[in-house]
């Protein structure tokens, strides 16, 4: 297993907005071996295309690693890593090597749960459903396998009228620790005809971009400032949306 950690130039865990370096680790038997260091410098003067280019030029040196350990997990850089580059990000809360072990265990556990969820999805797809709202539009219903608990236990997006919806995903997941982002969002995206849904979250789910492509949907992302920090994702039918980022 390979894990990339992001450190500042003092060797402390840091967020990507701090000048520093990626350190690529691979486990050899019981030890983590440092394979490579890749510098990254993002400045406030850089525009979004320059930020994307700098980030892509750095992560290309991380080989096939798609797991990042960092002091932060929010913001545009993390959205780009998760949504466009397929990374899963974990927030550090301890020493580097201790956290590498923790992340490795969490990754294996998550992979196992995803396999089980996919198997359960085949059994429960027929039961997956979402609430409806008068005035919807944007085409017919979209259906495919989507693992979910009992439909009535899933928080539903708020209907704003005329096929427009809003959902605070972060609040929905905090309200029910047994739910995950797939169970909340996929039934709605697959089974509801909508013109637009705004999703408020702290990061972009790893599966999100692939699922939107599958359903012919697209998203715009906006980093929020002020009291409610995080991201706002605006999802629309593919013919109406602009590229994310």
């Amino acid at each position: 297993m390979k894990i990339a950690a992001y450190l500042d130039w003092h060797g402390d865990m840091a967020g990507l907005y701090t000048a520093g370096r990626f350190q690529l680790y691979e486990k050899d038997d019981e030890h983590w071996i440092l394979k490579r260091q890749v510098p990254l410098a993002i400045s406030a003067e850089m525009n979004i295309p320059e930020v994307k280019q700098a980030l892509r030029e750095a992560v290309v040196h991380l080989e096939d690693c798609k797991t990042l350990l960092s002091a932060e997990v929010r913001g545009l850089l993390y959205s780009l890593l998760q949504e466009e580059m397929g990374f899963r990000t974990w927030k550090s809360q301890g020493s580097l090597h201790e956290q590498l072990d923790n992340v490795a265990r969490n990754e294996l556990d998550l992979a196992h749960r995803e396999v089980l969820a996919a198997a359960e999805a085949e059994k429960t797809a027929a039961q997956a459903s979402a609430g409806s709202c008068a005035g919807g539009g944007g085409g017919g219903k979209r259906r495919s396998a989507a693992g979910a608990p009992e439909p009535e236990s899933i928080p539903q997006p708020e209907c704003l009228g005329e096929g427009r919806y809003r959902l605070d995903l972060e609040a929905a997941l905090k309200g029910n620790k047994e739910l995950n982002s797939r169970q909340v969002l996929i039934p709605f995206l697959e089974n509801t005809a909508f013109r637009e849904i705004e999703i408020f979250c702290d990061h972009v789910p790893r599966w999100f971009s692939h699922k939107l492509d599958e359903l012919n949907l697209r998203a715009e992302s906006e980093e929020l400032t002020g009291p409610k920090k995080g991201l706002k994702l605006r999802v629309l039918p593919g013919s109406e949306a602009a590229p994310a980022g």
Side-chain angles (χ1 to χ4, degrees), residues 7-180:
L7 287 73
D8 63 21
W9 293 114
H10 299 290
D12 298 321
M13 295 297 302
L16 296 179
Y17 294 92
T18 300
R21 62 188 183 273
F22 292 101
Q23 295 197 168
L24 178 62
Y25 291 90
E26 184 170 15
K27 195 160 192 180
D28 180 13
D29 295 327
E30 297 182 358
H31 304 286
W32 289 99
I33 307 300
L34 176 60
K35 296 189 64 181
R36 182 171 299 169
Q37 298 186 38
V38 183
L40 176 70
I42 302 295
S43 69
E45 292 74 25
M46 297 171 68
N47 57 36
I48 290 180
E50 291 171 336
V51 168
K52 286 185 176 182
Q53 181 178 352
L55 193 58
R56 289 185 187 279
E57 289 177 352
V59 301
V60 73
H61 297 291
L62 299 180
E63 302 174 359
D64 57 346
C65 175
K66 293 295 182 181
T67 303
L68 174 66
L69 175 62
S70 171
E72 298 292 340
V73 293
R74 294 185 177 184
L76 174 62
L77 293 175
Y78 294 94
S79 176
L80 293 173
L81 279 174
Q82 295 162 5
E83 185 178 357
E84 298 188 13
M85 303 178 195
F87 275 76
R88 195 184 338 255
T89 59
W90 299 87
K91 188 173 181 178
S92 170
Q93 295 180 331
S95 67
L96 174 58
H97 284 80
E98 178 182 277
Q99 288 306 302
L100 288 172
D101 286 333
N102 289 340
V103 169
R105 285 193 294 268
N106 290 337
E107 283 283 327
L108 291 173
D109 179 64
L110 187 56
H112 178 66
R113 286 190 282 117
E114 287 178 346
V115 170
L116 294 179
E120 183 66 19
E122 297 298 326
K123 299 178 182 179
T124 61
Q127 300 176 1
S129 64
S132 60
C133 174
K141 292 186 176 181
R142 309 172 181 91
R143 300 183 183 276
S144 65
E150 291 299 321
E152 59 269 18
S153 70
I154 303 175
Q156 298 299 318
E158 175 189 1
C159 177
L160 304 178
E162 299 183 351
R164 302 182 185 279
Y165 296 79
R166 177 185 296 143
L167 175 69
D168 189 331
L169 179 61
E170 185 176 3
L173 296 180
K174 285 183 178 178
N176 188 336
K177 300 296 185 180
E178 296 182 357
L179 290 176
N180 59 46

Side-chain angles (χ1 to χ4, degrees), residues 201-238:
C201 54
D202 60 0
H203 70 278
V204 180
R206 186 177 184 180
W207 55 266
F208 195 69
S209 180
H210 176 74
K211 194 65 181 180
L212 294 192
D213 289 342
E214 179 183 314
L215 298 176
N216 192 29
L217 299 171
R218 298 183 71 179
E220 300 171 348
S221 63
E222 175 185 346
E223 186 172 356
L224 300 177
T225 58
K228 186 172 180 60
K229 297 183 181 299
L231 294 173
K232 179 174 75 172
L233 306 177
R234 182 169 173 256
V235 181
L236 308 97

Side-chain angles (χ1 to χ4, degrees), residues 175-213:
N176 188 336
K177 300 296 185 180
E178 296 182 357
L179 290 176
N180 59 46
S181 60
R182 285 179 176 270
Q183 293 167 330
V184 175
L185 290 174
I186 290 181
F188 177 87
L189 296 176
E190 291 180 341
N191 296 285
T192 306
F194 63 91
R195 292 178 180 169
E196 175 185 327
I197 176 172
E198 290 183 343
I199 302 167
F200 297 90
C201 54
D202 60 0
H203 70 278
V204 180
R206 186 177 184 180
W207 55 266
F208 195 69
S209 180
H210 176 74
K211 194 65 181 180
L212 294 192
D213 289 342

